[in-house]
Amino acid sequence: MEVRKMKMPKAMDFSQKWDNFKRLSHKFSRSRISLVGLFSVVIIITLAIFAPLIAPYPEHAGAFVDYAHASIPPCREHLFGTDIMGRDVLSRTIFALRGALLMAIGVIGIVTPIGVIVGLVAGYNSGSLVDTILMRISDVFLALPSLVLALAVAAVLRPTLFNAMLAVCVSWWPWYARLTYGLASSIRNETFVQAAQVIGASHFHIIFKEVLPNCLSSIFTKMALDVGWVILIGASLSFVGLGEQPPTPALGTMVADGARYLPELWWVCVFPALVIVWMILSFNLFGDGVRDALSPEEA
Amino acid sequence: MSEILTVKGLKKYFPIVSSTFSRRQVNYIKAVDNVSFFLNEGEILGLVGESGSGKSTTAYVIVGIYSPTAGDILFKGRNINVVATKRPLEVKKEVAIVFQDPGTSLNPQHNIREILSVPLKVHKVVSKKHLNSKIEELLDIVELPKNYMYKQPRAIGGGERQMVAIARALATNPSLIVLDEPTSALDVSVQAKIINKLLDIQKEFQLSYLFITHDLSLMRNVATRIAIMYLGKINELAPAAEFFQNPLHPYTQMLISSVPVVSKAEESIKKKKIISAGEIPSSVNIPPGCGFNTRCPFKKDLCFEVDPEMVEVMPGHYVRCHLYQGMRC
């Protein structure tokens, strides 16, 4: 009897979560364009993970030189052509997806917890000294355009993918802090928060168990919509040489290198650029779908 | 009978700030202004008033959502005139509140089990092993089925939600429950059920209720004593029977004569006919003298100059009006 009682909650919890998931996925799939986004995102992630198996010339992703096959325009052997060192542009583009995705996952993975915690603490103590200090600090970061700030930070550090990630994080966390701050400072006046205070629940409980769950849908929406922009800013950093260093392929670096040989060797520059556009577009379509699925049903 | 709650000279003023930059305080909203009363153990005190009379603010100050501007709140002889976060845990265990709207007082992201386990965990009422059986027990008290444990608040009806809120208030075995208009946000069909349940619970667990409401006729059957609030002050306080048989304050008389009745027998209870006129003034610019002087049919010059004192005209019957200043018992 006792054993059955202990097991019941988990099973019930799970079925409730499964129902929730079904409801959200139904709302998501109502829009065809979100499904296109989701499909695209899955393709991008698959390409990035299985790059060594999918790329026609995986060895071209490293330090590889073959002047005999340099500067070949797009053809059957090289769908995206080859660059001036004879490397297959398609293979290098597929490998470059890895860096771009890593950048997005890394930045959003670091920035979300930091921004959310700062926003929650400041929002819950809205009007106090803690609020003023935390939010003025984040305002300072917001005052500088994020690309300029990221460029400045990346220029100071050694140019690696990790440092580029850090640079973007520095300019990106205040957006999460702002978003969560706005939500938390209004939710803390809700009756259920007052009820928890009267009961005597700790600040920790109120912030993370009462307020945070009511912020999550907005935070997830922002995360989904931000992936594309982080990829863009990462590409911008590698365009000016502040990201992944050669010979590892990076989309921004490939566009920058190819741009020098425009318009004759147009394929070296145009294909990586199109891939950037495709990535941002797919993640934004996907993000829009997530937003529509998570936003409350309009009556 | 001993007093479980004594409120002395309670004031809650909300400052009105002129602009964001200067932070100059221009004026105050005197939501609660010098309110004193006591609540005996096992008693139901009805605190009645129109919207804007400060009755809910009084409730919020007592449970510690707002800190009082001045005054004392003695709970079992212990002064707790601070916000809930500064109160000792054992006091928070004994003072509970049921809010007006269960749609907002229950976290929409939690299921009933999570909602009810908060007070149980905070006050360590039961061990983790017995958490579920205690929650089942609480649901049983408010007559909800056990399988409601895993429902979200939005999946159940308004009356059932309020039952969950009542169960949450009962979770810590409190001795005082503040009921802030517990039925006014609900459908009429479930109001009676909630009231009856509250009364059963009060008898069963020997609780004291501070029952805030705007429904005077409801208090007639429910309250032991009734206090009338107007513009942040208590105008009259009397035992329920006395209150309806011998209402003294013109405002009380006006309220009682405005209670809708359906029978001649009920009509006969209404002693004096006073037609309700005007509305409650803004609590920002309270007129000098007695707060009721804008609507009172018996107003004298004195009423515009001096605010009357609370006087005990009969044992247990207090009134704050110039008409009865000489009638001290």
Side-chain angles (χ1 to χ4, degrees):
Chain A
M1 191 65 198
E2 195 57 42
V3 177
R4 221 182 71 199
K5 256 187 195 164
M6 295 296 282
K7 283 206 164 157
M8 193 178 68
K10 274 184 188 157
M12 298 284 281
D13 258 3
F14 180 75
S15 78
Q16 187 193 321
K17 285 198 175 110
W18 175 242
D19 281 351
N20 225 4
F21 177 76
K22 274 199 295 192
R23 190 173 52 83
L24 289 181
S25 52
H26 171 73
K27 272 175 89 178
F28 183 88
S29 52
R30 269 190 319 203
S31 151
R32 193 156 297 169
I33 203 130
S34 319
L35 283 178
V36 171
L38 175 68
F39 185 64
S40 260
V41 164
V42 170
I43 290 178
I44 291 166
I45 292 171
T46 317
L47 284 175
I49 292 173
F50 299 106
L53 302 175
I54 293 165
Y57 305 95
E59 68 278 7
H60 290 207
F64 178 89
V65 179
D66 179 8
Y67 289 115
H69 296 91
S71 310
I72 302 172
C75 59
R76 196 168 291 166
E77 284 78 39
H78 302 281
L79 287 174
F80 286 5
T82 62
D83 62 9
I84 50 151
M85 307 238 239
R87 298 177 298 191
D88 181 45
V89 175
L90 176 62
S91 304
R92 288 182 64 76
T93 310
I94 292 173
F95 271 91
L97 294 176
R98 295 181 143 192
L101 280 183
L102 216 61
M103 176 95 188
I105 294 165
V107 167
I108 290 172
I110 296 169
V111 147
T112 311
I114 296 174
V116 166
I117 289 172
V118 168
L120 281 174
V121 171
Y124 181 66
N125 299 299
S126 157
S128 71
L129 189 66
V130 182
D131 162 27
T132 314
I133 293 171
L134 288 176
M135 292 328 283
R136 288 306 83 77
I137 293 174
S138 79
D139 282 350
V140 169
F141 285 95
L142 282 177
L144 295 163
S146 52
L147 183 61
V148 175
L149 185 59
L151 279 172
V153 175
V156 173
L157 302 170
R158 281 191 312 121
T160 61
L161 182 66
F162 181 72
N163 284 344
M165 238 186 249
L166 280 187
V168 180
C169 287
V170 167
S171 63
W172 215 271
W173 71 269
W175 293 107
Y176 283 82
R178 273 272 140 206
L179 172 75
T180 319
Y181 173 78
L183 295 165
S185 59
S186 80
I187 292 169
R188 76 170 188 139
N189 292 322
E190 292 279 345
T191 321
F192 60 80
V193 172
Q194 294 174 335
Q197 284 168 342
V198 171
I199 286 165
S202 61
H203 293 307
F204 184 87
H205 170 92
I206 294 174
I207 291 177
F208 291 101
K209 298 275 177 66
E210 305 283 343
V211 178
L212 180 60
N214 288 284
C215 302
L216 283 181
S217 66
S218 302
I219 294 168
F220 285 144
T221 303
K222 180 155 179 64
M223 287 167 77
L225 286 169
D226 269 2
V227 177
W229 300 115
V230 172
I231 290 170
L232 180 65
I233 212 169
S236 311
L237 284 181
S238 65
F239 182 82
V240 293
L242 294 173
E244 195 85 273
Q245 291 305 298
T248 315
L251 291 170
T253 322
M254 291 170 78
V255 173
D257 287 348
R260 279 188 273 159
Y261 306 104
L262 279 175
E264 290 79 19
L265 308 180
W266 56 270
W267 56 88
V268 183
C269 168
V270 167
F271 287 117
L274 283 177
V275 167
I276 295 176
V277 173
W278 176 49
M279 280 183 97
I280 295 168
L281 198 63
S282 345
F283 276 105
N284 278 0
L285 292 178
F286 171 70
D288 280 343
V290 170
R291 183 191 56 203
D292 292 344
L294 289 178
S295 66
E297 200 85 51
E298 59 273 9
Chain B
M1 260 199 288
S2 60
E3 290 173 16
I4 188 168
L5 179 76
T6 315
V7 175
K8 283 184 191 158
L10 190 70
K11 288 180 185 175
K12 179 64 194 174
Y13 295 174
F14 293 101
I16 303 170
V17 179
S18 66
S19 79
T20 338
F21 295 106
S22 69
R23 299 252 164 169
R24 198 162 52 89
Q25 284 169 10
V26 185
N27 220 328
Y28 289 103
I29 295 174
K30 296 183 176 180
V32 180
D33 197 7
N34 210 358
V35 159
S36 302
F37 62 87
F38 61 88
L39 178 62
N40 288 322
E41 248 169 67
E43 188 184 45
I44 301 178
L45 176 65
L47 190 57
V48 185
E50 290 174 81
S51 346
S53 61
K55 55 193 192 307
S56 283
T57 309
T58 309
Y60 281 16
V61 173
I62 287 168
V63 297
I65 291 170
Y66 300 141
S67 65
T69 309
D72 293 331
I73 304 162
L74 301 170
F75 177 76
K76 292 188 171 171
R78 195 167 180 173
N79 202 344
I80 50 163
N81 60 349
V82 284
V83 284
T85 44
K86 291 178 185 161
R87 289 181 182 180
L89 206 58
E90 60 264 32
V91 171
K92 286 185 267 197
K93 187 173 186 285
E94 296 223 26
V95 182
I97 182 166
V98 175
F99 290 94
Q100 178 174 6
D101 183 4
T104 58
S105 72
L106 307 176
N107 194 330
Q109 299 293 330
H110 289 175
N111 61 28
I112 308 301
R113 183 178 180 273
E114 287 166 319
I115 288 166
L116 292 179
S117 62
V118 173
L120 296 175
K121 281 178 181 164
V122 167
H123 296 283
K124 299 187 178 67
V125 179
V126 286
S127 65
K128 237 183 185 148
K129 227 172 89 186
H130 298 108
L131 194 65
N132 275 342
S133 58
K134 177 70 186 173
I135 290 169
E136 283 174 10
E137 190 188 306
L138 286 171
L139 287 174
D140 198 45
I141 293 173
V142 295
E143 292 173 19
L144 291 178
K146 288 186 177 75
N147 63 2
Y148 270 41
M149 232 197 248
Y150 299 99
K151 288 191 190 247
Q152 304 284 122
R154 64 166 173 270
I156 64 177
E160 292 171 327
R161 271 184 232 158
Q162 193 62 297
M163 287 295 195
V164 172
I166 292 168
R168 175 173 64 182
L170 289 173
T172 56
N173 304 316
S175 45
L176 168 68
I177 300 185
V178 176
L179 303 161
D180 181 22
E181 306 202 43
T183 56
S184 63
L186 305 176
D187 284 341
V188 184
S189 54
V190 295
Q191 284 185 3
K193 201 180 160 202
I194 298 274
I195 297 287
N196 287 333
K197 195 75 235 171
L198 283 170
L199 292 179
D200 290 349
I201 290 167
Q202 190 258 345
K203 279 201 197 82
E204 192 181 339
F205 299 98
Q206 315 268 300
L207 300 176
S208 311
Y209 283 171
L210 177 61
F211 205 124
I212 314 273
T213 182
H214 58 257
D215 189 350
L216 194 57
S217 47
L218 170 71
M219 281 302 104
R220 191 190 167 93
N221 306 315
V222 169
T224 327
R225 290 186 302 139
I226 300 172
I228 285 278
M229 253 188 116
Y230 189 79
L231 274 186
K233 289 173 181 161
I234 290 181
N235 276 358
E236 186 163 6
L237 198 163
E242 164 85 5
F243 185 89
F244 281 96
Q245 274 159 25
N246 190 19
L248 294 178
H249 199 282
Y251 180 55
T252 315
Q253 292 169 357
M254 187 183 99
L255 283 184
I256 291 176
S257 53
S258 62
V259 170
V261 289
V262 289
S263 69
K264 285 258 162 65
E266 282 183 37
E267 187 69 38
S268 67
I269 295 166
K270 295 182 178 181
K271 286 270 162 68
K272 292 166 188 164
K273 275 274 181 195
I274 296 186
I275 304 302
S276 162
E279 288 215 13
I280 192 163
S282 149
S283 45
V284 181
N285 297 307
I286 295 175
C290 174
F292 192 55
N293 62 21
T294 52
R295 298 163 83 180
C296 185
F298 309 112
K299 53 187 177 258
K300 306 179 282 189
D301 290 345
L302 184 65
C303 300
F304 292 92
E305 288 151 21
V306 186
D307 196 25
E309 297 269 309
M310 193 70 137
V311 183
E312 191 173 12
V313 289
M314 264 168 273
H317 193 157
Y318 300 83
V319 65
R320 210 173 54 79
C321 178
H322 284 303
L323 294 174
Y324 308 100
Q325 287 296 328
M327 284 176 59
R328 277 166 210 279
C329 70

